[in-house]
Amino acid sequence: KKSHHQWVGARGAMSAATARRCAGRLASPRRASSHRALHHDVRPHVRPWMRVPTDGWLLRDFLREALYNRDDGYFANASSPPVGAMSAPIPFHALLGQEDYARTLARRYDALASQWLTPVEIFKPHYARAVARHILRAHRAELDAPLDDDGEKERRRGRRRVGATPLRIYELGGGTGTCAAGILAHIRDDDPEVFASTEYVGVEISPTLAKMQRETVRRELGDDVNIVIGGVNGGGGK
């Protein structure tokens, strides 16, 4: 039978021992048996955000702190962000098959050490460009959809001529900015008129990754792009 501090099923809470296991800091069995030590004994290696209330911790609260705590969160490491970036894309046209692809990807991971790669990074620029093609098709279809009201149709045509109907794109959690840069580059090359009025909004809770995204987009596209990247609590930047 589980004790109260080990499991609080009705509230969907997480015990202190489970929280420390998830954070990679397993409490010793002797200390885990002591309710007082488990919840209130603050040891040097336990970060302040890991102090668990006596009535348990909701999983969503633990995950938010473990991933995004500004001092010790998984995504807050400014010196070595967990999301990696490749300096050059994989030359898929030169690969000899699945095994060659696996070896090539393994070498890329070896060079990154503890970082991991997102699909948009592994398959760049193709992944982001495929997404961009879908976005453009949807945007054009919306602009060109037939209307019963001739006056509204004429007004829509006029808005498109002057670029007054912008394409607004939202990305949640943009990693290193590879996706944003790839999508915007495709729109720029495929439809300069749409690109001129495109607004790209990146919602990123990690200040470290938000900074990387802005730098990636500026490096790939220069300053001639309308992009705002910031956290869910404000603090966006261009």
Side-chain angles (χ1 to χ4, degrees), residues 62-232:
F62 168 78
L63 291 177
R64 182 185 65 247
E65 291 298 318
L67 295 176
Y68 302 114
N69 182 275
R70 291 181 179 272
D71 298 321
D72 195 42
Y74 180 72
F75 289 108
N77 190 337
S79 61
S80 180
V83 184
M86 298 189 299
S87 59
I90 294 175
F92 287 97
H93 65 282
L95 298 181
L96 302 178
Q98 183 175 354
E99 292 183 359
D100 195 17
Y101 162 72
R103 286 191 296 268
T104 301
L105 186 59
R107 287 194 294 269
R108 297 296 180 101
Y109 267 109
D110 289 341
L112 292 170
S114 61
Q115 293 179 318
W116 47 271
L117 299 170
T118 62
V120 72
E121 188 71 35
I122 294 173
F123 299 106
K124 71 178 183 184
H126 315 293
Y127 192 108
R129 289 182 178 272
V131 175
R133 285 195 294 270
H134 173 75
I135 292 174
L136 279 176
R137 281 197 300 268
H139 182 63
R140 290 164 179 161
E142 181 180 353
L143 290 176
D144 298 334
L147 295 172
D148 295 332
D149 186 341
D150 292 336
E152 175 59 28
K153 189 173 183 180
E154 184 60 32
R155 285 192 295 273
R156 176 182 290 181
R157 287 173 178 166
R159 288 198 301 269
R160 178 164 189 178
R161 281 196 299 269
V162 298
T165 303
L167 168 60
R168 184 174 292 109
I169 303 171
Y170 291 89
E171 183 181 10
L172 309 181
T176 62
T178 298
C179 187
I183 288 176
L184 289 168
H186 179 82
I187 296 174
R188 177 197 60 192
D189 299 340
D190 189 79
D191 196 328
E193 181 182 355
V194 172
F195 176 76
S197 61
T198 295
E199 299 175 4
Y200 202 101
V201 180
V203 180
E204 177 57 66
I205 198 172
S206 166
T208 300
L209 291 177
K211 182 175 181 291
M212 292 179 65
Q213 291 163 30
R214 287 191 290 269
E215 292 174 348
T216 298
V217 172
R218 297 302 180 192
R219 183 174 64 251
E220 298 293 331
L221 290 97
D223 295 327
D224 191 23
V225 58
N226 186 4
I227 181 169
V228 178
I229 298 175
V232 295

Side-chain angles (χ1 to χ4, degrees), residues 20 31 36-52:
R20 287 174 174 77
R31 284 193 178 273
R36 179 176 179 80
L38 188 62
H39 289 296
H40 301 292
D41 181 28
V42 180
R43 286 154 287 173
H45 68 281
V46 177
R47 303 296 185 184
W49 68 264
M50 294 179 64
R51 299 171 187 171
V52 185

